[in-house]
């Protein structure tokens, strides 16, 4: 998975922990994000369903 360096090198990433969340958008793709408290930060949009295996 490719994550933008701006997020990796930030205080947000340290607060977000190790868990990723993924939301499927029907056949259009998935949104991969990390959650900090009640805010979800979008990390990637996977339109080809190939960023990770189920």
């Amino acid at each position: 998975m490719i994550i933008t360096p701006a997020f990796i090198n930030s205080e947000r990433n340290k607060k977000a922990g190790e868990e990723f969340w993924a939301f499927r958008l029907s056949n259009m793709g998935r949104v991969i994000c990390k959650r900090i408290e009640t805010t979800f930060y979008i990390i990637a949009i996977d339109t080809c369903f190939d960023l990770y295996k189920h």
Side-chain angles (χ1 to χ4, degrees):
M1 180 182 313
I2 299 170
I3 301 174
T4 179
F7 187 87
I8 293 171
N9 300 321
S10 71
E11 289 298 315
R12 287 183 188 160
N13 188 40
K14 293 175 188 170
K15 291 179 183 178
E18 297 296 320
E19 291 187 29
F20 287 93
W21 293 62
F23 299 93
R24 187 176 175 121
L25 302 172
S26 187
N27 292 330
M28 296 182 342
R30 295 182 286 214
V31 177
I32 294 93
C33 51
K34 286 185 119 179
R35 183 175 66 95
I36 301 173
E37 295 177 8
T38 59
T39 304
F40 285 88
Y41 294 89
I42 296 173
I43 304 299
I45 298 175
D46 180 13
T47 58
C48 297
F49 297 95
D50 62 357
L51 285 181
Y52 66 89
K53 293 186 182 247
H54 291 298

